[in-house]
Structure formats: C-alpha cells, structure tokens
C-alpha cells in the first residue's frame, strides 16, 4: 500500500511509517477512549468553559473520541492530513458551541490543548516502540503530520462555526433564546413583553423539561431523537404547545404548556410509560408544574436540578427523573464533599457500596416514607412484610442505633445515598 501523504513515500520514511507509525495508529484506535478521557480532563482543568457540566463532558468525549479514531485511520493509511473531513460528532459540537455561546477563541484553544495531549501520547508510544534509531524520524513525521492535520481541522471547524453563527444570529431563534435567557436570569419580569419576545404565551401552565441522550448512544440524529421524545411527552400529558431552548447537540431544554393545570397523575403517566414513550437512549428530567413567568423559570430550575441528580445516580436513575421525587437529594448534594461526609457520618456501615447493604438501606428509606408501615413498604417493594421487618433489624444493626434517633438526618442521608458514587466521583474530580 502506497501512502497518499508525499513525505511518507521517501524510502526511509516509508519504512518508519510501516514499522513504527502504523502500529502506533493501531494502538490509538484501541485506546481512543482513554486518550479522549485524558484530553477532556485537560479541558476541565484548563478550559472549563467548554465543558461546564456533565452533559457537555459527555458530548465532548464523543467528539474527541471520534476525532482520535479519524487520526488513527489517517495515519494508518498514510492519508494527506489536509484531505481529512471533520467527523460528524466533531462538526455537531462546533455547531452547538454557537448556541451555547462558546467563543471561537475558546474552541481554538481547546483544539490546541487536545493537540498537546495527543502529541505527548504519540511521543510516549513512539519512544517505547521500534528501534531507537527510528525514533527521531518517526517523531519528525508524526509532528509534521499532526500540525498539518490540526491546521486543516481548525479551518473546517471555523467554517462550520461561522455558518452556524450566521444562521443563529440572523434568525428568530436567537431572539427567542435571548428572551429565554433574560427570563431565566431574572432580567425579564413583564409577562406581556416576554410573550411577545418569545412568540409563546407565558401566561399558561408550564412544565420545565430537560432531555438528553445517554453518553453511550451512537452519534447521529441526536436532535431528531430529542425532538421525538419531547413530542411524545407533550402528547402524553395533553400539552398544547412546546417551547424548545437548545442546550447542545445532545441535549435540549424545553417547556410543555397548556391552559389548564397539570396534575400529579399526568407526570406519573410519563414515568410509568417511559419505556414505550421514549426513543432508546433518551433521558428526561421534569420540574414541578408552574404558572406564568415565575412558574416558567422555577420549573426550568427544578428540571435542571433533577437532571443533575440523575447524572449523579447514573445507572440507578430511571428514564424519567421528576424533581418531586429527588428534591431532597437535589438540595443536599449541591456541595459534593459535604454531602459525602454527611451520608457516611449518618449511615456509617449502612452506606457501604455493595448490593446487599444498598438493598437494606433502600428498604429502610421506603419504610420511613410509608410511616413505618411494614405492609405498605412490602407492597411498594413487592416482598413479604416479614422481609421488611428483617431488613429493618439489619439496618439498625448496621447503624448501631435504633432508627427512632435523628430521623430527619437519617431520611436525608438515605435520600442522598443512591447518588453517593456519583458524588464521590465529582468530589474526586474537584480535588
């Protein structure tokens, strides 16, 4: 196979490419996820504005990993670095950056940070492989190739950014987004003016919604999947209109509205039927219903908190997370380090990270929620009342005290317990 990049055709360079660079490209293809993680960690430390929250981290991970796979493939076949096209996930991230108000300078800096991390990884791989006499030539080739690739990568990214920015700033979407931002920030208080700016009746009953894709979801068609989920949700609760506020390519904030008030049962239907309502990979967080401009803002804030808790719960979260169900956890986990210390102090051994202990703690939580009724707790958990009593005795043994003591602290700690692994990970990342 003859490489397309001209410098690799020189006999000595071609030999180094075959013996050193192609094996390194194979390693990059296998380890792209780990290298992407290193790059995103660098962003969190030095460019946090491009990864402000967990969903942005997930989106950036997908974009970076796709770009690394492309780098590996291009090096493997000896492609001219100026002939590679942006990966779809990378192009999507560039476009969504416009809507999230990330400046072009910030994006360019993030690419340069990624280049620095990738070059270091390539340096380490090359100097550990092949013959020492080949290292110098291999490093020269890969450095020249990478700089040319990044320069062309930036040119394509800037082009995608510019096109999206022109469309965004020139359309009604920008005016609507500005109005939403003013309402959420408390700068807009007049309902009539807000309705005019939004082209959406603010004097109605609203439910704030956050919808996003599971990070493991294959890239492609994200916005259509999220839009479908919102449509299904609106239909399930008989909403008359939907206002969408783009967050990023893999997430949407929205409000579903109607003239009459929402009932608790309306949202419960969404939870009960989520498996059939939602497209695969979609997750939803829902705020409490609210009316008018104040309810519009409050329900959005609550949905945002519910999504934050859902991200901490990870696999323990359902497809739909309602703020009503996680309000205590949302209040208690704003400070990750404080929350972890609180749960461990109050629960002691009952906070152990194993399924048996977690089941005992979960039973205790339900038992307290059901006013200490073994029968009601058993009904909720689909077990025998004697099982409830047995687990409560186990819980008291692990706590080392009766559950009658410090019941408020105990209930709060149990509400936070499902989020403990996520809180520990977040606390660690902040250190």
């Amino acid at each position: 196979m003859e490489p397309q990049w001209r410098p690799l055709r020189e006999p000595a360079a071609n030999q180094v490419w075959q013996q050193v660079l192609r094996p390194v490209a194979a390693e990059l293809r296998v380890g792209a996820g780990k290298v992407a993680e290193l790059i995103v960690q660098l962003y969190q430390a030095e460019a946090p504005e491009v990864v402000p929250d967990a969903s942005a981290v997930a989106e950036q991970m997908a974009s970076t990993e796709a770009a690394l796979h492309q780098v590996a493939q291009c090096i493997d076949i000896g492609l001219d670095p100026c002939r590679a096209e942006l990966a779809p996930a990378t192009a999507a991230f560039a476009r969504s950056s416009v809507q999230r108000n990330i400046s072009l300078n910030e994006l360019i800096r993030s690419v340069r940070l990624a280049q620095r991390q990738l070059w270091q990884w390539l340096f380490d791989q090359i100097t550990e492989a092949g013959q020492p006499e080949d290292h110098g030539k291999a490093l020269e080739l890969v450095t020249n190739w990478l700089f040319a690739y990044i320069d062309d990568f930036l040119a394509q990214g800037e082009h995608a950014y510019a096109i999206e920015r022109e469309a965004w700033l020139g359309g009604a979407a920008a005016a609507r987004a500005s109005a939403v931002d003013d309402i959420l920030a408390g700068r807009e208080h007049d309902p009539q003016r807000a309705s005019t700016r939004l082209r959406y009746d603010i004097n109605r009953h609203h439910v704030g919604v956050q919808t996003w894709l599971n990070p493991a979801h294959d890239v492609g068609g994200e916005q259509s999947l999220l839009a479908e989920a919102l449509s299904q949700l609106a239909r399930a609760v008989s909403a008359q209109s939907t206002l969408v506020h783009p967050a990023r390519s893999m997430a949407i904030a929205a409000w579903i509205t109607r003239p009459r008030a929402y009932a608790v049962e309306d949202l419960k239907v969404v939870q009960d039927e989520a498996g059939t309502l939602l497209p695969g990979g979609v997750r939803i967080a829902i705020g409490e219903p609210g009316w008018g401009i104040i309810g519009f803002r409050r329900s959005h804030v609550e949905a945002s908190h519910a999504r934050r808790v859902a991200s901490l719960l990870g696999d323990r979260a359902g497809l739909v997370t309602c703020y009503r169900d996680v309000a205590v956890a949302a209040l208690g986990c704003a400070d990750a380090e404080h929350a972890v210390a609180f749960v461990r102090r109050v629960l002691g051994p009952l906070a152990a990270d194993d399924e048996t202990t977690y089941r005992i703690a979960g039973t205790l939580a339900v038992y307290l929620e059901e006013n200490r009724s073994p029968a009601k707790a058993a009904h909720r958990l689909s077990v025998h009342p004697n099982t409830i009593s047995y687990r409560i005795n186990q819980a008291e043994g692990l706590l080392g005290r009766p559950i009658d003591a410090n019941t408020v602290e105990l209930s709060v700690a149990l509400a936070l317990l499902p989020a403990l692994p996520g809180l520990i990970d977040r606390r660690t990342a902040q250190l």
Side-chain angles (χ1 to χ4, degrees), residues 60 75 212 354-355 401:
Q60 185 63 268
I75 293 176
W212 68 101
D354 64 85
E355 287 303 315
R401 65 180 185 277

Side-chain angles (χ1 to χ4, degrees), residues 399-412:
L399 288 169
R401 65 180 185 277
I403 60 173
D404 295 328
N406 299 322
T407 54
V408 173
E409 284 195 350
L410 181 58
S411 295
V412 173

Side-chain angles (χ1 to χ4, degrees), residues 151-331:
D151 286 345
D152 191 68
F153 180 95
L154 284 173
Q156 293 186 57
E158 289 173 23
H159 181 66
Y161 184 96
I163 291 175
E164 183 68 21
R165 186 173 186 273
E166 183 178 353
W168 176 255
L169 294 179
R176 174 176 280 187
S178 176
V180 170
D181 288 341
D182 286 344
I183 293 171
L184 298 182
R187 295 185 293 265
E188 177 61 87
H189 302 283
D190 186 299
Q192 183 174 354
R193 185 171 58 222
S195 296
T196 300
R197 294 177 65 192
L198 291 171
R199 301 179 186 179
Y200 170 92
D201 188 359
I202 202 77
N203 288 320
R204 285 189 166 199
H205 295 275
H206 312 279
V207 171
V209 179
Q210 299 267 328
T211 179
W212 68 101
L213 281 172
N214 187 323
H217 177 77
D218 291 337
V219 176
E222 293 87 354
Q223 290 295 311
S224 61
L225 280 176
L226 296 176
E228 181 185 348
L230 286 174
S231 176
Q232 294 284 6
L233 174 62
R235 190 178 298 112
V237 298
S238 302
Q240 290 191 355
S241 59
T242 303
L243 175 64
V244 174
H245 187 52
R248 52 192 58 86
S249 65
M250 296 179 68
I252 288 177
W255 292 260
I256 53 175
T257 185
R258 68 188 193 188
R260 58 189 176 87
Y262 291 94
V264 174
E265 291 74 17
D266 294 328
L267 302 185
K268 190 174 186 308
V269 167
V270 176
Q271 287 181 300
D272 293 342
E273 301 181 6
T276 55
L277 283 176
L278 302 181
V282 175
R283 300 290 183 270
I284 285 182
I286 300 177
E288 285 291 278
W291 187 87
I293 195 167
I294 293 176
F296 181 92
R297 182 186 305 118
R298 177 178 53 76
S299 190
H300 170 79
V301 171
E302 291 172 347
S304 300
H305 285 308
R307 180 180 178 183
R308 174 169 57 85
V309 174
S311 70
L312 291 171
L313 293 176
D315 293 339
R316 290 172 175 172
L319 298 178
V320 177
T321 302
C322 290
Y323 177 76
R324 173 188 297 268
D325 298 328
V326 298
V328 173
L331 287 168

Side-chain angles (χ1 to χ4, degrees), residues 5 71 75 81-82 111-112 115-116 118-119 122 139-155:
W5 191 41
V71 168
I75 293 176
C82 297
V111 172
R112 292 302 184 189
Q115 178 184 6
R116 186 179 85 192
L118 176 57
W119 187 90
L122 290 168
L139 289 171
E140 176 191 342
L141 288 168
V142 82
T143 299
N144 291 340
W145 189 94
L146 184 60
F147 268 90
Y149 173 85
I150 292 296
D151 286 345
D152 191 68
F153 180 95
L154 284 173

